[in-house]
Each structure stands twice: as structure tokens, then as C-alpha cells.
């Protein structure tokens, strides 16, 4: 059975609080693991069934029926850190032969951080620390499962370690929090370890908002595409851009208007992808 996951609010900065535990934020995708009457189904946070993508997870059984919340991770053996692009490669593979090959080259791990139901009991109204105790007592069925570690109170110290290892971020959770299904709550708060980059805006969408971003190529002789900025710009930013961009237009096609690379912007992002693109860029400010 699918259970709508509890969603994270965003904290503006790292924080420490004795009322909270702090966990490393796993760079993967959310997974609800449901075992009922010996049958396992896996679901994304949006209730998409992804059981066939992860047979090494779906093929393992717990002693009793259970519903778990966690993340799918694909750990880079060189760094010990989950690689999001590898996770997406696993998630997008649907054909059995492709999945079988990826189990060997990109094995997945289900990193668990909460237990929602166990052996016929709904645990969601219990305080988080009581759920953590129950989770710690449950034997894991295979090496493809793990439990996310946590520390109490010291969120800023953990965030410093996360920054040093270039990991995704930290999640703070109130020790007494119930599991609030399907909504964002300040009882669970994420702090993202953003990276920053300076880019040139080389065009814009004609319909919905989006600025094309580019960075100098290795030889600095020309620009190379780096993604589309869709988030972060407020009405004042957009007005300022469109007030000055008209003389810079060089051409257009069905979807975009292209401009000379004269306008620079600072963006924050999760990281650079392996293909040199900005991952989830957010506009911060213009560079003048």
C-alpha cells in the first residue's frame, strides 16, 4: 500500500537545537517500501510504482508486514557518496535486461529513515524517537538496505562535515514529531548545501519563464549551454531583464529568443552534472 510521505520544509540556514535530531540528506529519490502479505511494492513520493526498477530491493522480505520511508541511493565506491545521476539511470531503466545489467554496475541501496507501519500497527502518531527505536530493532533483510545515521542537537557541526564532503545537505527533525502524511511541516526541515556559479544569460523562453544559461567553453573562445534558470527571479528581476534585453537580441526559433551573452547572473545549484550542466539552478542576483 502507498502512504503519502511527510514533506520537508526549508530552513534558511544550518541550525542546532536540542529538540531536533539531524541526518545527512541522501542525494537520491524518495521511496516508500510496502510489504503486505509477503508481497513488496515500491513507490515514489508521487505514488508511481517503481518496483521493477529495483529488484534487489523488492526481492527482500522483512519478518512482518511493514511500510518504510527512505531514499534510493547509488553510492559511488570512490567517494562513498550517493550519485544522483546514477540513481536516475536506475529509475529510468524499465526493461528487464537493462535492469539486470544495472544491478551489477549500479547497485542500489534503500536508505531507511522512518518506519510507518509494522506487524499490523500504524506507527505514524508515535513520536519520531520512538519510531527510530522500533526501526533500529528490525533486522534488515539484505546488504541492499541501510538505516540513515543521525546525531542529536548538533546540526551546524554536521552541516560543516556535509559541506567538506560535498554532500547534498542536512535534515533536522523534531524528536517528538508525529509523521504528518502528505504535507510540509517545520517539524522536518532541510538545509541544502548549495553550490554557486556565475553564468551568462543567452536567451529566454517565449512562453513560460526560463532564462538560458551559458558559461565559457574550455578555450574561452565561445559559450557553451549550461541549462535553464526557471526559479528564483522575482517580478523586479524579470522587469529589469526585459527592459534592457531588446537591443541584445540575435535571433529566435519556435521556443526561444536568443541574445548576446552580455548579462551575467549568479545562480545557486545542487551541483554540476557530469555533462557540465547546472543541476536545479536558482537565480540569485545579476552581476553588474
Amino acid at each position: 500500500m502507498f502512504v503519502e510521505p511527510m514533506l520537508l520544509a526549508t530552513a534558511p540556514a544550518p541550525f542546532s537545537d536540542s529538540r531536533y535530531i539531524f541526518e545527512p540528506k541522501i542525494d537520491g529519490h524518495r521511496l516508500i517500501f510496502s510489504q503486505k502479505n509477503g508481497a513488496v511494492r515500491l513507490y515514489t513520493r508521487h505514488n508511481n510504482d517503481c518496483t521493477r526498477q529495483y529488484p534487489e530491493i523488492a526481492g527482500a522480505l522483512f519478518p512482518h508486514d511493514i511500510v518504510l520511508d527512505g531514499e534510493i541511493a547509488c553510492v559511488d565506491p570512490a567517494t562513498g557518496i550517493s550519485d544522483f545521476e546514477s540513481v536516475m539511470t536506475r529509475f529510468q531503466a524499465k526493461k528487464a535486461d537493462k535492469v539486470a545489467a544495472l544491478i551489477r554496475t549500479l547497485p542500489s541501496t534503500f536508505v531507511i529513515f522512518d518506519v510507518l507501519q509494522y506487524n499490523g500497527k500504524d506507527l505514524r502518531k508515535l513520536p519520531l524517537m520512538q519510531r527510530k527505536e522500533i526501526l533500529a530493532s528490525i533486522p534488515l533483510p539484505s546488504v541492499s538496505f541501510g538505516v540513515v545515521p543521525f546525531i542529536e542537537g548538533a546540526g551546524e557541526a554536521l552541516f560543516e562535515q556535509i559541506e567538506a564532503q560535498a554532500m547534498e545537505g542536512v535534515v533536522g527533525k523534531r524528536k517528538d514529531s508525529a509523521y504528518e502524511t502528505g504535507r510540509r511541516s517545520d517539524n522536518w526541515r532541510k538545509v541544502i548545501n548549495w553550490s554557486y556559479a556565475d553564468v551568462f544569460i543567452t536567451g529566454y523562453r517565449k512562453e513560460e519563464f526560463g532564462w538560458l544559461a551559458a558559461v565559457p567553453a574550455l578555450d574561452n573562445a565561445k559559450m557553451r549551454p549550461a541549462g535553464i534558470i526557471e526559479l528564483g527571479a522575482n517580478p523586479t528581476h524579470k522587469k529589469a531583464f526585459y527592459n534592457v534585453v531588446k537591443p541584445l537580441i540575435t535571433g529566435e526559433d519556435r521556443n526561444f529568443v536568443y541574445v548576446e551573452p552580455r548579462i551575467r547572473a549568479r545562480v545557486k545549484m545542487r551541483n554540476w552534472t557530469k555533462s557540465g550542466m547546472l543541476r536545479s539552478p536558482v537565480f540569485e542576483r545579476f552581476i553588474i
Side-chain angles (χ1 to χ4, degrees), residues 4-57:
E4 261 195 284
M6 183 169 173
L7 303 178
L8 306 174
T10 300
F15 66 100
S16 297
D17 190 321
S18 61
R19 299 171 298 173
Y20 283 74
I21 63 167
F22 294 89
E23 303 168 341
K25 192 173 187 305
I26 307 301
D27 200 3
H29 79 74
R30 196 80 173 263
L31 188 84
I32 299 296
F33 177 104
S34 174
Q35 177 183 320
K36 186 174 183 179
N37 298 326
V40 173
R41 307 303 299 178
L42 309 179
Y43 303 95
T44 71
R45 59 170 281 194
H46 297 296
N47 195 14
N48 294 313
D49 191 308
C50 57
T51 308
R52 63 177 170 173
Q53 284 98 308
Y54 308 109
E56 67 268 53
I57 308 299

Short mmCIF file of all heavy atoms in Angstrom, two decimals, residues 4-57:
data_model
loop_
_atom_site.label_atom_id
_atom_site.label_comp_id
_atom_site.label_asym_id
_atom_site.label_seq_id
_atom_site.Cartn_x
_atom_site.Cartn_y
_atom_site.Cartn_z
N GLU A 4 1.26 8.42 1.61
CA GLU A 4 1.82 9.71 1.20
C GLU A 4 2.91 10.12 2.16
O GLU A 4 2.71 10.15 3.38
CB GLU A 4 0.73 10.78 1.20
CG GLU A 4 0.14 11.07 -0.16
CD GLU A 4 -0.65 12.37 -0.14
OE1 GLU A 4 -1.77 12.32 0.37
OE2 GLU A 4 -0.15 13.39 -0.64
N PRO A 5 4.10 10.49 1.65
CA PRO A 5 5.20 10.80 2.55
C PRO A 5 5.07 12.17 3.20
O PRO A 5 4.46 13.09 2.65
CB PRO A 5 6.42 10.75 1.63
CG PRO A 5 5.89 11.07 0.28
CD PRO A 5 4.51 10.49 0.24
N MET A 6 5.65 12.32 4.37
CA MET A 6 5.78 13.61 5.03
C MET A 6 6.82 14.42 4.26
O MET A 6 7.89 13.91 3.90
CB MET A 6 6.21 13.41 6.48
CG MET A 6 6.30 14.68 7.30
SD MET A 6 6.50 14.27 9.05
CE MET A 6 6.79 15.87 9.77
N LEU A 7 6.52 15.68 3.99
CA LEU A 7 7.38 16.52 3.17
C LEU A 7 8.17 17.50 4.02
O LEU A 7 7.74 17.89 5.11
CB LEU A 7 6.55 17.26 2.12
CG LEU A 7 5.71 16.36 1.20
CD1 LEU A 7 4.89 17.22 0.24
CD2 LEU A 7 6.59 15.38 0.44
N LEU A 8 9.31 17.93 3.48
CA LEU A 8 10.23 18.78 4.23
C LEU A 8 9.96 20.26 3.97
O LEU A 8 9.78 20.67 2.83
CB LEU A 8 11.68 18.48 3.82
CG LEU A 8 12.14 17.02 3.90
CD1 LEU A 8 13.54 16.90 3.33
CD2 LEU A 8 12.11 16.54 5.33
N ALA A 9 9.98 21.05 5.03
CA ALA A 9 10.08 22.50 4.89
C ALA A 9 11.55 22.84 4.68
O ALA A 9 12.44 21.98 4.81
CB ALA A 9 9.53 23.19 6.13
N THR A 10 11.83 24.10 4.33
CA THR A 10 13.20 24.53 4.09
C THR A 10 13.65 25.50 5.17
O THR A 10 12.96 26.49 5.44
CB THR A 10 13.33 25.21 2.71
OG1 THR A 10 12.93 24.27 1.70
CG2 THR A 10 14.75 25.64 2.44
N ALA A 11 14.76 25.21 5.79
CA ALA A 11 15.36 26.13 6.76
C ALA A 11 16.28 27.09 6.02
O ALA A 11 16.96 26.69 5.07
CB ALA A 11 16.13 25.36 7.81
N PRO A 12 16.34 28.36 6.42
CA PRO A 12 17.16 29.33 5.69
C PRO A 12 18.65 29.14 5.88
O PRO A 12 19.45 29.61 5.07
CB PRO A 12 16.71 30.67 6.27
CG PRO A 12 16.17 30.34 7.63
CD PRO A 12 15.55 28.98 7.50
N ALA A 13 19.04 28.43 6.94
CA ALA A 13 20.47 28.26 7.23
C ALA A 13 20.64 27.08 8.17
O ALA A 13 19.68 26.65 8.83
CB ALA A 13 21.03 29.54 7.87
N PRO A 14 21.86 26.54 8.27
CA PRO A 14 22.09 25.46 9.24
C PRO A 14 21.75 25.94 10.66
O PRO A 14 21.93 27.11 11.00
CB PRO A 14 23.59 25.18 9.10
CG PRO A 14 23.96 25.69 7.75
CD PRO A 14 23.07 26.87 7.50
N PHE A 15 21.26 25.03 11.48
CA PHE A 15 20.91 25.39 12.85
C PHE A 15 21.15 24.21 13.78
O PHE A 15 21.22 23.06 13.34
CB PHE A 15 19.44 25.85 12.95
CG PHE A 15 18.43 24.77 12.66
CD1 PHE A 15 17.77 24.10 13.69
CD2 PHE A 15 18.12 24.40 11.35
CE1 PHE A 15 16.84 23.11 13.44
CE2 PHE A 15 17.17 23.42 11.08
CZ PHE A 15 16.53 22.76 12.12
N SER A 16 21.32 24.51 15.05
CA SER A 16 21.45 23.49 16.09
C SER A 16 20.32 23.68 17.08
O SER A 16 19.92 24.81 17.37
CB SER A 16 22.80 23.62 16.80
OG SER A 16 23.87 23.38 15.90
N ASP A 17 19.78 22.58 17.59
CA ASP A 17 18.64 22.67 18.50
C ASP A 17 18.53 21.32 19.21
O ASP A 17 18.44 20.28 18.56
CB ASP A 17 17.37 22.97 17.71
CG ASP A 17 16.18 23.33 18.59
OD1 ASP A 17 16.02 22.71 19.65
OD2 ASP A 17 15.42 24.23 18.21
N SER A 18 18.53 21.34 20.53
CA SER A 18 18.49 20.10 21.30
C SER A 18 17.16 19.37 21.13
O SER A 18 17.06 18.18 21.46
CB SER A 18 18.72 20.40 22.78
OG SER A 18 17.71 21.27 23.29
N ARG A 19 16.14 20.04 20.58
CA ARG A 19 14.85 19.38 20.36
C ARG A 19 14.83 18.58 19.07
O ARG A 19 13.85 17.89 18.80
CB ARG A 19 13.74 20.43 20.34
CG ARG A 19 13.58 21.24 21.62
CD ARG A 19 12.61 22.39 21.42
NE ARG A 19 13.13 23.31 20.40
CZ ARG A 19 12.44 24.35 19.91
NH1 ARG A 19 11.20 24.58 20.35
NH2 ARG A 19 12.97 25.15 19.00
N TYR A 20 15.90 18.66 18.29
CA TYR A 20 15.96 18.05 16.96
C TYR A 20 17.05 16.98 16.89
O TYR A 20 18.06 17.05 17.60
CB TYR A 20 16.27 19.10 15.90
CG TYR A 20 15.12 19.99 15.50
CD1 TYR A 20 14.67 21.00 16.35
CD2 TYR A 20 14.48 19.85 14.27
CE1 TYR A 20 13.62 21.84 15.99
CE2 TYR A 20 13.44 20.68 13.90
CZ TYR A 20 13.01 21.66 14.77
OH TYR A 20 11.97 22.49 14.40
N ILE A 21 16.84 16.02 16.00
CA ILE A 21 17.93 15.19 15.51
C ILE A 21 18.29 15.69 14.11
O ILE A 21 17.47 16.34 13.45
CB ILE A 21 17.58 13.69 15.47
CG1 ILE A 21 16.42 13.43 14.49
CG2 ILE A 21 17.28 13.16 16.85
CD1 ILE A 21 16.23 11.97 14.14
N PHE A 22 19.50 15.36 13.66
CA PHE A 22 19.96 15.81 12.35
C PHE A 22 20.54 14.63 11.59
O PHE A 22 21.34 13.85 12.12
CB PHE A 22 21.00 16.93 12.50
CG PHE A 22 20.42 18.18 13.09
CD1 PHE A 22 20.39 18.37 14.47
CD2 PHE A 22 19.87 19.15 12.28
CE1 PHE A 22 19.84 19.51 15.03
CE2 PHE A 22 19.30 20.30 12.82
CZ PHE A 22 19.30 20.48 14.20
N GLU A 23 20.09 14.51 10.33
CA GLU A 23 20.51 13.42 9.45
C GLU A 23 21.16 13.98 8.19
O GLU A 23 20.76 15.05 7.72
CB GLU A 23 19.30 12.58 9.02
CG GLU A 23 18.48 12.00 10.13
CD GLU A 23 17.15 11.43 9.66
OE1 GLU A 23 16.70 11.80 8.55
OE2 GLU A 23 16.55 10.62 10.39
N PRO A 24 22.13 13.26 7.61
CA PRO A 24 22.59 13.67 6.28
C PRO A 24 21.47 13.49 5.27
O PRO A 24 20.72 12.51 5.33
CB PRO A 24 23.75 12.72 5.99
CG PRO A 24 23.51 11.54 6.89
CD PRO A 24 22.81 12.07 8.11
N LYS A 25 21.32 14.45 4.36
CA LYS A 25 20.31 14.35 3.30
C LYS A 25 20.89 13.50 2.17
O LYS A 25 21.91 13.83 1.59
CB LYS A 25 19.92 15.73 2.79
CG LYS A 25 18.67 15.72 1.90
CD LYS A 25 18.22 17.12 1.57
CE LYS A 25 16.88 17.11 0.83
NZ LYS A 25 16.88 16.27 -0.37
N ILE A 26 20.23 12.40 1.85
CA ILE A 26 20.72 11.46 0.85
C ILE A 26 20.35 11.96 -0.54
O ILE A 26 19.19 12.31 -0.80
CB ILE A 26 20.13 10.05 1.08
CG1 ILE A 26 20.37 9.60 2.53
CG2 ILE A 26 20.73 9.06 0.09
CD1 ILE A 26 21.82 9.54 2.94
N ASP A 27 21.31 11.99 -1.44
CA ASP A 27 21.06 12.50 -2.79
C ASP A 27 20.56 11.37 -3.69
O ASP A 27 21.31 10.75 -4.43
CB ASP A 27 22.35 13.11 -3.36
CG ASP A 27 22.07 14.06 -4.52
OD1 ASP A 27 20.88 14.30 -4.82
OD2 ASP A 27 23.03 14.58 -5.11
N GLY A 28 19.26 11.12 -3.58
CA GLY A 28 18.64 10.07 -4.38
C GLY A 28 17.20 10.44 -4.67
O GLY A 28 16.90 11.60 -4.90
N HIS A 29 16.30 9.46 -4.65
CA HIS A 29 14.89 9.80 -4.75
C HIS A 29 14.12 9.08 -3.66
O HIS A 29 14.47 7.98 -3.22
CB HIS A 29 14.32 9.53 -6.15
CG HIS A 29 13.99 8.11 -6.46
ND1 HIS A 29 12.89 7.45 -5.93
CD2 HIS A 29 14.60 7.20 -7.28
CE1 HIS A 29 12.85 6.21 -6.40
NE2 HIS A 29 13.87 6.03 -7.20
N ARG A 30 13.05 9.72 -3.21
CA ARG A 30 12.24 9.23 -2.11
C ARG A 30 11.61 7.89 -2.49
O ARG A 30 11.19 7.69 -3.64
CB ARG A 30 11.15 10.26 -1.80
CG ARG A 30 10.44 10.11 -0.46
CD ARG A 30 11.27 10.68 0.65
NE ARG A 30 10.55 10.69 1.92
CZ ARG A 30 9.91 11.76 2.39
NH1 ARG A 30 9.87 12.89 1.70
NH2 ARG A 30 9.32 11.69 3.57
N LEU A 31 11.52 6.99 -1.52
CA LEU A 31 10.93 5.68 -1.79
C LEU A 31 10.09 5.24 -0.60
O LEU A 31 10.54 5.30 0.54
CB LEU A 31 12.01 4.63 -2.04
CG LEU A 31 11.46 3.27 -2.51
CD1 LEU A 31 11.25 3.30 -4.02
CD2 LEU A 31 12.39 2.13 -2.16
N ILE A 32 8.86 4.83 -0.87
CA ILE A 32 8.01 4.17 0.11
C ILE A 32 8.06 2.67 -0.18
O ILE A 32 7.69 2.24 -1.27
CB ILE A 32 6.56 4.69 0.05
CG1 ILE A 32 6.51 6.19 0.34
CG2 ILE A 32 5.68 3.91 1.02
CD1 ILE A 32 6.94 6.59 1.74
N PHE A 33 8.55 1.90 0.79
CA PHE A 33 8.63 0.44 0.69
C PHE A 33 7.44 -0.15 1.42
O PHE A 33 7.24 0.09 2.62
CB PHE A 33 9.95 -0.02 1.33
CG PHE A 33 10.16 -1.52 1.36
CD1 PHE A 33 11.03 -2.13 0.47
CD2 PHE A 33 9.51 -2.31 2.31
CE1 PHE A 33 11.25 -3.50 0.51
CE2 PHE A 33 9.71 -3.68 2.35
CZ PHE A 33 10.58 -4.28 1.45
N SER A 34 6.63 -0.93 0.71
CA SER A 34 5.43 -1.52 1.30
C SER A 34 5.46 -3.04 1.13
O SER A 34 5.49 -3.54 0.00
CB SER A 34 4.17 -0.94 0.63
OG SER A 34 3.01 -1.61 1.08
N GLN A 35 5.45 -3.75 2.25
CA GLN A 35 5.36 -5.21 2.23
C GLN A 35 4.06 -5.63 2.91
O GLN A 35 3.84 -5.31 4.09
CB GLN A 35 6.55 -5.83 2.96
CG GLN A 35 6.49 -7.36 3.06
CD GLN A 35 7.64 -7.93 3.86
OE1 GLN A 35 8.78 -7.48 3.74
NE2 GLN A 35 7.36 -8.92 4.69
N LYS A 36 3.20 -6.31 2.15
CA LYS A 36 1.91 -6.76 2.69
C LYS A 36 1.64 -8.18 2.24
O LYS A 36 1.70 -8.48 1.04
CB LYS A 36 0.78 -5.83 2.22
CG LYS A 36 -0.57 -6.13 2.86
CD LYS A 36 -1.61 -5.08 2.48
CE LYS A 36 -2.93 -5.37 3.18
NZ LYS A 36 -3.97 -4.36 2.84
N ASN A 37 1.42 -9.06 3.20
CA ASN A 37 1.16 -10.48 2.91
C ASN A 37 2.27 -11.08 2.05
O ASN A 37 2.01 -11.85 1.12
CB ASN A 37 -0.20 -10.66 2.23
CG ASN A 37 -1.35 -10.19 3.10
OD1 ASN A 37 -1.30 -10.33 4.33
ND2 ASN A 37 -2.39 -9.64 2.49
N GLY A 38 3.50 -10.68 2.32
CA GLY A 38 4.65 -11.24 1.61
C GLY A 38 4.90 -10.66 0.24
O GLY A 38 5.83 -11.11 -0.46
N ALA A 39 4.13 -9.68 -0.18
CA ALA A 39 4.32 -9.04 -1.49
C ALA A 39 4.85 -7.62 -1.27
O ALA A 39 4.33 -6.87 -0.44
CB ALA A 39 3.01 -8.99 -2.26
N VAL A 40 5.88 -7.26 -2.03
CA VAL A 40 6.53 -5.96 -1.88
C VAL A 40 6.20 -5.08 -3.08
O VAL A 40 6.26 -5.52 -4.23
CB VAL A 40 8.06 -6.12 -1.76
CG1 VAL A 40 8.76 -4.77 -1.79
CG2 VAL A 40 8.42 -6.89 -0.50
N ARG A 41 5.83 -3.84 -2.80
CA ARG A 41 5.67 -2.82 -3.83
C ARG A 41 6.49 -1.60 -3.41
O ARG A 41 6.54 -1.25 -2.23
CB ARG A 41 4.21 -2.40 -4.02
CG ARG A 41 3.24 -3.53 -4.27
CD ARG A 41 3.59 -4.40 -5.46
NE ARG A 41 3.62 -3.67 -6.73
CZ ARG A 41 3.93 -4.24 -7.89
NH1 ARG A 41 4.30 -5.52 -7.92
NH2 ARG A 41 3.91 -3.53 -8.99
N LEU A 42 7.08 -0.95 -4.42
CA LEU A 42 7.90 0.24 -4.19
C LEU A 42 7.24 1.42 -4.90
O LEU A 42 6.81 1.30 -6.04
CB LEU A 42 9.31 0.03 -4.73
CG LEU A 42 10.04 -1.25 -4.30
CD1 LEU A 42 11.43 -1.31 -4.95
CD2 LEU A 42 10.15 -1.34 -2.78
N TYR A 43 7.22 2.58 -4.21
CA TYR A 43 6.55 3.75 -4.75
C TYR A 43 7.42 5.00 -4.60
O TYR A 43 8.10 5.16 -3.58
CB TYR A 43 5.22 4.01 -4.02
CG TYR A 43 4.24 2.87 -4.06
CD1 TYR A 43 4.19 1.95 -3.01
CD2 TYR A 43 3.37 2.69 -5.13
CE1 TYR A 43 3.29 0.89 -3.02
CE2 TYR A 43 2.47 1.64 -5.15
CZ TYR A 43 2.44 0.74 -4.10
OH TYR A 43 1.56 -0.31 -4.12
N THR A 44 7.37 5.87 -5.58
CA THR A 44 7.98 7.18 -5.45
C THR A 44 7.07 8.06 -4.58
O THR A 44 5.95 7.67 -4.24
CB THR A 44 8.17 7.87 -6.80
OG1 THR A 44 6.88 8.26 -7.31
CG2 THR A 44 8.86 6.96 -7.80
N ARG A 45 7.53 9.25 -4.27
CA ARG A 45 6.73 10.16 -3.42
C ARG A 45 5.42 10.57 -4.10
O ARG A 45 4.48 10.99 -3.43
CB ARG A 45 7.52 11.41 -3.03
CG ARG A 45 8.01 12.22 -4.20
CD ARG A 45 8.58 13.57 -3.77
NE ARG A 45 7.52 14.51 -3.49
CZ ARG A 45 7.72 15.83 -3.36
NH1 ARG A 45 8.93 16.32 -3.46
NH2 ARG A 45 6.72 16.63 -3.11
N HIS A 46 5.38 10.45 -5.45
CA HIS A 46 4.17 10.82 -6.19
C HIS A 46 3.31 9.61 -6.52
O HIS A 46 2.46 9.66 -7.41
CB HIS A 46 4.55 11.55 -7.47
CG HIS A 46 5.26 12.84 -7.23
ND1 HIS A 46 4.68 13.91 -6.60
CD2 HIS A 46 6.53 13.24 -7.52
CE1 HIS A 46 5.55 14.92 -6.52
NE2 HIS A 46 6.67 14.53 -7.07
N ASN A 47 3.52 8.49 -5.83
CA ASN A 47 2.71 7.28 -5.99
C ASN A 47 2.92 6.62 -7.35
O ASN A 47 2.01 6.01 -7.91
CB ASN A 47 1.22 7.57 -5.76
CG ASN A 47 0.40 6.29 -5.55
OD1 ASN A 47 0.95 5.21 -5.33
ND2 ASN A 47 -0.92 6.41 -5.65
N ASN A 48 4.11 6.74 -7.91
CA ASN A 48 4.47 6.00 -9.11
C ASN A 48 5.13 4.68 -8.69
O ASN A 48 6.09 4.69 -7.92
CB ASN A 48 5.44 6.80 -9.98
CG ASN A 48 4.78 8.05 -10.54
OD1 ASN A 48 3.68 8.00 -11.05
ND2 ASN A 48 5.45 9.19 -10.42
N ASP A 49 4.61 3.59 -9.20
CA ASP A 49 5.15 2.27 -8.85
C ASP A 49 6.50 2.09 -9.55
O ASP A 49 6.59 2.18 -10.78
CB ASP A 49 4.18 1.18 -9.27
CG ASP A 49 4.55 -0.19 -8.72
OD1 ASP A 49 5.71 -0.61 -8.91
OD2 ASP A 49 3.68 -0.83 -8.11
N CYS A 50 7.54 1.83 -8.78
CA CYS A 50 8.88 1.62 -9.35
C CYS A 50 9.46 0.29 -8.89
O CYS A 50 10.69 0.14 -8.80
CB CYS A 50 9.81 2.79 -9.01
SG CYS A 50 10.00 3.11 -7.24
N THR A 51 8.59 -0.68 -8.62
CA THR A 51 9.03 -1.98 -8.11
C THR A 51 10.00 -2.67 -9.07
O THR A 51 11.02 -3.23 -8.64
CB THR A 51 7.81 -2.89 -7.86
OG1 THR A 51 6.86 -2.18 -7.05
CG2 THR A 51 8.22 -4.17 -7.16
N ARG A 52 9.70 -2.63 -10.37
CA ARG A 52 10.53 -3.39 -11.32
C ARG A 52 11.91 -2.76 -11.52
O ARG A 52 12.83 -3.44 -11.98
CB ARG A 52 9.81 -3.52 -12.66
CG ARG A 52 9.54 -2.20 -13.38
CD ARG A 52 8.88 -2.44 -14.72
NE ARG A 52 8.40 -1.21 -15.34
CZ ARG A 52 7.92 -1.13 -16.56
NH1 ARG A 52 7.86 -2.23 -17.30
NH2 ARG A 52 7.51 0.01 -17.04
N GLN A 53 12.07 -1.49 -11.17
CA GLN A 53 13.38 -0.85 -11.35
C GLN A 53 14.41 -1.33 -10.33
O GLN A 53 15.61 -1.23 -10.57
CB GLN A 53 13.26 0.67 -11.27
CG GLN A 53 12.67 1.33 -12.51
CD GLN A 53 11.21 1.63 -12.35
OE1 GLN A 53 10.43 0.76 -11.99
NE2 GLN A 53 10.82 2.87 -12.64
N TYR A 54 13.95 -1.83 -9.18
CA TYR A 54 14.88 -2.16 -8.09
C TYR A 54 14.62 -3.57 -7.56
O TYR A 54 14.18 -3.75 -6.42
CB TYR A 54 14.76 -1.14 -6.96
CG TYR A 54 14.88 0.29 -7.42
CD1 TYR A 54 13.77 1.14 -7.44
CD2 TYR A 54 16.11 0.80 -7.85
CE1 TYR A 54 13.88 2.45 -7.87
CE2 TYR A 54 16.22 2.11 -8.27
CZ TYR A 54 15.10 2.93 -8.29
OH TYR A 54 15.22 4.23 -8.72
N PRO A 55 14.89 -4.59 -8.36
CA PRO A 55 14.60 -5.95 -7.89
C PRO A 55 15.42 -6.36 -6.68
O PRO A 55 14.99 -7.21 -5.89
CB PRO A 55 14.93 -6.82 -9.11
CG PRO A 55 15.72 -5.96 -10.03
CD PRO A 55 15.35 -4.57 -9.76
N GLU A 56 16.61 -5.77 -6.50
CA GLU A 56 17.41 -6.12 -5.32
C GLU A 56 16.77 -5.59 -4.04
O GLU A 56 17.05 -6.11 -2.94
CB GLU A 56 18.86 -5.60 -5.45
CG GLU A 56 19.02 -4.09 -5.44
CD GLU A 56 19.00 -3.47 -6.84
OE1 GLU A 56 18.05 -3.73 -7.59
OE2 GLU A 56 19.93 -2.70 -7.15
N ILE A 57 15.90 -4.58 -4.16
CA ILE A 57 15.15 -4.08 -3.01
C ILE A 57 13.82 -4.82 -2.89
O ILE A 57 13.45 -5.30 -1.81
CB ILE A 57 14.88 -2.56 -3.15
CG1 ILE A 57 16.19 -1.80 -3.43
CG2 ILE A 57 14.18 -2.02 -1.92
CD1 ILE A 57 17.24 -1.92 -2.37
#
